[in-house]
Amino acid sequence: LFHQSCIQRLCVENSFNQHELTCPNDRQLISELIPVICGQVTILDISHYQDSYYTLVDYPHLYIHLSSYDDLNIPDHDGKTLFYCACQRGHQQLMMSLYRLGVDVNQPNRYGFTPLMALVTNNYRHLVHIILRKSRIKSTLNMVDNYGKNVLMYADEYGHFECLKELLLYHRDFNHDFLQRLLQSYQKTPSNNPYYAQRQVLKRYLNELL
């Protein structure tokens, strides 16, 4: 399993060993080799999917194995990274593979909408729970998009209160003003609001935090 550019370089250097099974750039990352039928293997070139990474993420029954050798932070033509698209679709295996390869988990789309916002607005509570335990994602908590909204506002706007509870577990990482504004909006919630009961519970919780 080799990157095309690596094979070309090794051949030029006359250092290509035909008995090699894996690329030198990936060797330290490999924990297991699994034999497969050659017809089941497709060469993956990320650049072929830059019209839209959703074409790759939505491919049925796909197990994607990526390399740190690839530039995985290049956005597609819609301004979305592969990590963003994986979050938007709730593709846990791909998300975590990309995280382990060190991708920029903060990189938003062209509207400033972050991968964490994508998870929250799609109500992937279990993935929000998993990803918030990763240190690098926490730096996105206070990011705002081009419309001036942060991830707390989106969780509330969409009525995804389980996601909001997950976010509030990390209240110390949030800008205090964001929490204060959320509390103030809950204090003004009329009783005929469909989210009134949930917001009353969260209002009491925010009062305790602040």
Side-chain angles (χ1 to χ4, degrees):
L1 301 176
F2 290 86
H3 308 97
Q4 184 176 2
S5 56
C6 289
I7 291 178
Q8 292 171 344
R9 178 173 56 79
L10 291 169
C11 288
V12 169
E13 296 173 355
N14 288 321
S15 57
F16 180 61
N17 182 348
Q18 294 188 12
H19 298 290
E20 289 277 8
L21 293 175
T22 59
C23 181
N25 289 293
D26 286 334
R27 195 166 295 138
Q28 292 181 345
L29 303 174
I30 294 170
S31 59
E32 182 181 8
L33 288 175
I34 303 172
V36 295
I37 300 169
C38 289
Q40 295 176 341
V41 178
T42 302
I43 296 173
L44 179 63
D45 185 340
I46 297 296
S47 64
H48 291 169
Y49 297 90
Q50 280 188 285
D51 282 344
S52 173
Y53 287 141
Y54 289 127
T55 308
L56 176 59
V57 175
D58 293 341
Y59 196 85
H61 312 300
L62 179 67
Y63 290 91
I64 306 170
H65 296 279
L66 299 166
S67 165
S68 56
Y69 185 84
D70 298 305
D71 190 345
L72 302 173
N73 291 316
I74 295 177
D76 64 16
H77 292 169
D78 292 325
K80 300 170 182 175
T81 64
L82 189 56
F83 184 76
Y84 177 97
C85 293
C87 290
Q88 187 76 33
R89 293 294 198 256
H91 196 316
Q92 181 176 341
Q93 180 260 338
L94 180 55
M95 267 178 54
M96 301 316 297
S97 293
L98 289 165
Y99 185 91
R100 286 191 293 271
L101 288 169
V103 299
D104 183 357
V105 296
N106 306 329
Q107 194 168 334
N109 68 8
R110 65 179 60 175
Y111 303 107
F113 200 76
T114 67
L116 183 58
M117 291 175 186
L119 289 175
V120 166
T121 52
N122 282 286
N123 208 22
Y124 298 133
R125 188 204 64 79
H126 67 294
L127 296 181
V128 171
H129 173 79
I130 291 169
I131 204 68
L132 282 174
R133 301 175 74 176
K134 308 297 182 182
S135 57
R136 283 187 286 127
I137 202 74
K138 291 181 183 177
S139 59
T140 73
L141 292 176
N142 292 303
M143 291 177 69
V144 295
D145 64 9
N146 296 0
Y147 304 101
K149 295 181 180 181
N150 65 22
V151 69
L152 290 173
M153 295 176 184
Y154 277 114
D156 177 62
E157 180 181 321
Y158 280 72
H160 296 164
F161 295 108
E162 293 304 312
C163 287
L164 186 52
K165 290 176 186 176
E166 293 288 346
L167 292 167
L168 289 175
L169 292 175
Y170 299 86
H171 60 275
R172 291 185 180 86
D173 297 298
F174 276 103
N175 184 311
H176 184 271
D177 290 343
F178 290 156
L179 298 173
Q180 192 66 47
R181 270 186 276 172
L182 188 64
L183 175 60
Q184 290 171 356
S185 72
Y186 286 173
Q187 290 169 338
K188 298 175 183 178
T189 303
S191 57
N192 62 347
N193 187 291
Y195 298 137
Y196 179 78
Q198 295 97 319
R199 286 180 172 175
Q200 289 303 298
V201 172
L202 287 166
K203 182 179 77 172
R204 290 192 290 271
Y205 183 54
L206 281 166
N207 271 318
E208 293 173 5
L209 295 179
L210 298 171

